[in-house]
Amino acid sequence: MFNLILFGPPGAGKGTQAVKIAEKFGWKHVSTGDILRAEVSQGTPLGLKVKSVMDAGLLVSDDLLIEIMESVFVKHAAVKGFVLDGFPRTLNQAQELDKMLLKHGQEVSLVVALEVDEDELVNRLLKRAQDQGRKDDTAEVIKNRLVQYHHHTKPLIDYYTDKKLYREVYGVGTVEDIFSQLCTVINP
Ligand code: B4P
């Protein structure tokens, strides 16, 4: 099983590229953001619990995320591969992911980051606010999301570099050009 982590700051294009990668290689795309938003829109107990955290651009608790991921792995144990989009986002999540994969006889295969400068990230998310009206795409909340990224998520670069699993692809350009560079790096 190929376990790919698509990494990067909010707005880097992880969601956009993860869908294409999953389709090309026949892997399961897992977006923790999409899973959480679905819970919120269905008004489930979990959704009610995480709504205010997400609207503020903060990170949902590690325990909840790890529980969600464990159930995803169990449910889709027979797939050829996973594209993880938005997970892990903290060092604790990364360590728990390693443990969870080990329990299933698996490991992280590769981590590919999309590298995009901060002005471009903010522009993309503000544009998405106009197109899709996502609650967490306001200027104030975007700032919080970037702070969360720098504080909690960026340290994972060292974690995966030490494991020799980390690669970067420049994430500015056309979606197709970026996709083709990603495919070259992934090369399963
Ligand atoms: P996510 O849904 O993961 O939000 P995101 O980081 O903004 O990534 P997203 O996939 O949406 O954006 P993308 O870069 O594809 O998370 C939302 C919230 O959920 C978090 O703030 C947190 O509260 C919670 N959460 C999720 N996972 C969690 C975890 N593991 N732990 C704790 N909390 C968690 O795309 C952005 C925009 O750019 C799009 O509009 C796209 O169309 C555009 N775009 C893409 N490629 C482009 C290109 N090449 N050129 C121009 N625009 C492009």
Side-chain angles (χ1 to χ4, degrees):
M1 190 187 279
F2 200 96
N3 296 302
L4 173 72
I5 295 173
L6 202 53
F7 189 84
K14 303 183 295 291
T16 308
Q17 297 294 340
V19 171
K20 294 173 74 68
I21 293 166
E23 191 183 29
K24 178 177 168 86
F25 297 111
W27 297 340
K28 170 81 185 152
H29 171 211
V30 183
S31 159
T32 43
D34 287 351
I35 292 172
L36 293 168
R37 275 186 294 279
E39 298 281 343
V40 171
S41 72
Q42 288 160 26
T44 65
L46 172 63
L48 295 173
K49 207 160 156 183
V50 301
K51 185 178 185 311
S52 58
V53 176
M54 292 179 74
D55 286 352
L58 302 173
L59 293 180
V60 172
S61 83
D62 285 349
D63 289 352
L64 278 178
L65 263 298
I66 290 156
E67 205 179 301
I68 289 172
M69 287 307 296
E70 180 102 52
S71 69
V72 167
F73 273 109
V74 170
K75 189 168 166 198
H76 300 282
V79 296
K80 284 192 294 174
F82 283 102
V83 187
L84 303 185
D85 156 17
F87 184 93
R89 253 178 162 98
T90 65
L91 195 54
N92 183 27
Q93 289 181 15
Q95 289 163 340
E96 289 299 323
L97 174 65
D98 284 344
K99 284 189 214 161
M100 193 191 313
L101 289 172
L102 194 65
K103 217 162 70 183
H104 297 276
Q106 299 291 325
E107 58 187 6
V108 172
S109 310
L110 184 68
V111 180
V112 186
L114 286 166
E115 212 196 333
V116 178
D117 67 70
E118 208 139 308
D119 287 347
E120 171 73 11
L121 296 174
V122 174
N123 287 340
R124 285 184 188 180
L125 295 172
L126 289 175
K127 181 172 180 301
R128 185 168 65 185
Q130 286 171 353
D131 300 343
Q132 297 174 20
R134 234 174 82 168
K135 270 235 165 126
D136 58 347
D137 282 341
T138 64
E140 189 61 30
V141 177
I142 291 167
K143 213 164 73 189
N144 283 347
R145 288 161 64 195
L146 288 169
V147 169
Q148 298 293 311
Y149 171 76
H150 285 290
H151 196 73
H152 297 288
T153 311
K154 220 174 165 190
L156 296 187
I157 295 177
D158 286 343
Y159 182 76
Y160 288 117
T161 302
D162 287 349
K163 290 175 179 286
K164 304 201 179 348
L165 291 172
Y166 184 79
R167 306 276 184 284
E168 277 179 355
V169 161
Y170 186 52
V172 181
T174 69
V175 169
E176 283 312 320
D177 281 349
I178 297 164
F179 177 58
S180 119
Q181 287 176 59
L182 281 169
C183 290
T184 307
V185 171
I186 295 166
N187 190 24

